[in-house]
Amino acid sequence: MASRREQAGLPKGAEMRVLVLDRLRHMVNPVNRKQIGDAVAQRLRLSPEQLAVREPASGGGDSTRSFVDWWSEWACNDLKHIGVTEQPGRGLYQLTELGRTISDQEVAQRHRERGRRYRSKQREKSESETAGSDGERVDDEEVRAWEDELLDRLLSASPKAFEHLAGALLQAAGFDDVEVTGQSSDGGIDGIGTYRPSGLISFQTAFQCKRYKGSVGSSTVRDFRGSFIGRSDRGIIITTGSFTRDARDEAARAGANPVDLIDGEALCALLKEHSLGVRTTQRVVEDIVVDQAYFDQFEDTQ
């Protein structure tokens, strides 16, 4: 069965890398994620129906982001990993010296090489994690994902502690003047902050915290939106659980104040990204390549 991407005639990941690289070469760098997505959409002459296609969420349902926006950002990050783009600031991308001259074929080759290195590292990691000190395989039940451990810890936190953690996360993500309110009189608003993506504009943003194991429904999104209208430009709901499809549809409803949704999986990733309660230890892995040209020189000796 064809995917929604295929049914809508939207490009594959490899094509998005080429498109994003081409658009970056025709734009004044640096540019933000939205500008890149818009440029790709214009280049492809996408219809309103194609622009409306949403990227499937990892936990089921649909993301609040369109396919074009999501995959344009993915392409920028993928190009960054192979040295073609760099980030001079949060949410901004620009070409490197290599990015201005590299061919599409070399981009594809570098991507394949990176994929091979990644798979090799994953195999090494899997072997080290599933082998005991005597070389025997460890029972899978003994290998617990850090995300599950983190979510259990968040679920055991008090409501007030979770609200203050959410405030700390927003501050780490670049919000200013973050205030945790958490009062019943605030109609579901647990805090408020100001996000300034540039020096030109700012957004008052209210946030609400939900320590759930289950799913947050559309009524929660509607009630929350009603509580911050007239007080904030947009809202964020942060949960340890997930969101129903209806909740995601309601959050992205056209003509309504936008509500961004952060589920448990995304929350774990953000806490890891900003090193909030999560420590990451980097392991050094050697990438060894045989230099064929070195050995070829001996073939010509007499």
Side-chain angles (χ1 to χ4, degrees):
M1 180 178 178
S3 66
R4 280 181 293 180
R5 175 194 61 75
E6 293 171 325
Q7 291 173 353
L10 292 165
K12 298 179 181 179
E15 295 173 278
M16 286 298 289
R17 283 195 301 270
V18 174
L19 280 166
V20 166
L21 178 57
D22 175 73
R23 292 300 87 194
L24 282 170
R25 286 172 173 168
H26 287 82
M27 302 170 74
V28 177
N29 290 203
V31 291
N32 62 40
R33 293 173 293 195
K34 185 178 186 306
Q35 289 173 314
I36 296 169
D38 290 346
V40 169
Q42 290 175 6
R43 175 67 178 82
L44 293 173
R45 298 180 180 178
L46 298 181
S47 67
E49 291 75 19
Q50 289 174 307
L51 291 172
V53 175
R54 301 288 168 183
E55 175 64 18
S58 57
D62 289 342
S63 167
T64 58
R65 299 180 63 186
S66 70
F67 174 93
V68 173
D69 285 343
W70 198 98
W71 280 97
S72 293
E73 183 179 354
W74 170 87
C76 283
N77 286 322
D78 195 56
L79 293 169
K80 180 178 70 172
H81 287 307
I82 60 175
V84 175
T85 63
E86 58 188 1
Q87 288 192 267
R90 187 174 183 273
L92 296 175
Y93 295 89
Q94 66 185 19
L95 291 170
T96 62
E97 189 69 29
L98 172 65
R100 285 187 275 272
T101 58
I102 191 171
S103 67
D104 294 345
Q105 291 76 16
E106 189 175 352
V107 167
Q109 180 181 348
R110 283 174 173 253
H111 177 73
R112 287 192 295 269
E113 290 173 354
R114 177 173 175 264
R116 284 194 290 268
R117 290 195 299 269
Y118 175 79
R119 289 189 292 272
S120 176
K121 290 177 183 179
Q122 289 298 101
R123 283 194 297 270
E124 292 176 5
K125 180 180 179 181
S126 177
E127 290 169 0
S128 66
E129 288 181 346
T130 57
S133 58
D134 57 356
E136 296 181 354
R137 184 177 179 84
V138 178
D139 193 315
D140 288 341
E141 293 182 358
E142 297 179 15
V143 183
R144 192 178 185 198
W146 67 268
E147 294 97 333
D148 293 337
E149 182 181 354
L150 177 57
L151 288 173
D152 282 348
R153 179 63 184 86
L154 296 178
L155 285 165
S156 69
S158 68
K160 181 62 68 177
F162 189 51
E163 291 163 8
H164 280 279
L165 172 65
L169 174 59
L170 294 185
Q171 282 187 312
F175 282 71
D176 297 325
D177 307 320
V178 176
E179 178 186 0
V180 177
T181 57
Q183 303 297 323
S184 58
S185 59
D186 283 332
I189 297 176
D190 292 322
I192 196 165
T194 304
Y195 182 56
R196 295 182 173 87
S198 69
L200 301 175
I201 59 174
S202 63
F203 299 101
Q204 282 288 104
T205 305
F207 64 90
Q208 184 182 75
C209 303
K210 293 292 184 184
R211 289 183 309 121
Y212 282 5
K213 275 191 174 181
S215 298
V216 177
S218 58
S219 61
T220 299
V221 178
R222 276 194 303 273
D223 292 345
F224 175 52
R225 179 185 283 123
S227 71
F228 72 72
I229 288 178
R231 303 168 63 183
S232 291
D233 303 303
R234 59 191 305 136
I236 301 174
I237 299 179
I238 304 172
T239 182
T240 49
S242 58
F243 294 95
T244 65
R245 178 187 294 270
D246 287 343
R248 294 186 181 279
D249 289 343
E250 176 62 31
R253 180 162 55 87
N257 291 57
V259 178
D260 292 295
L261 306 180
I262 300 177
D263 61 14
E265 182 179 347
L267 177 58
C268 287
L270 286 167
L271 292 174
K272 175 178 177 290
E273 177 185 348
H274 296 289
S275 300
L276 298 177
V278 180
R279 290 192 299 271
T280 302
T281 302
Q282 298 290 342
R283 294 190 300 171
V284 178
V285 178
E286 291 183 328
D287 291 326
I288 302 174
V289 178
V290 176
D291 185 356
Q292 298 290 351
Y294 175 80
F295 295 99
D296 289 343
Q297 67 179 326
F298 296 105
E299 300 294 339
D300 299 328
T301 59
Q302 299 298 323

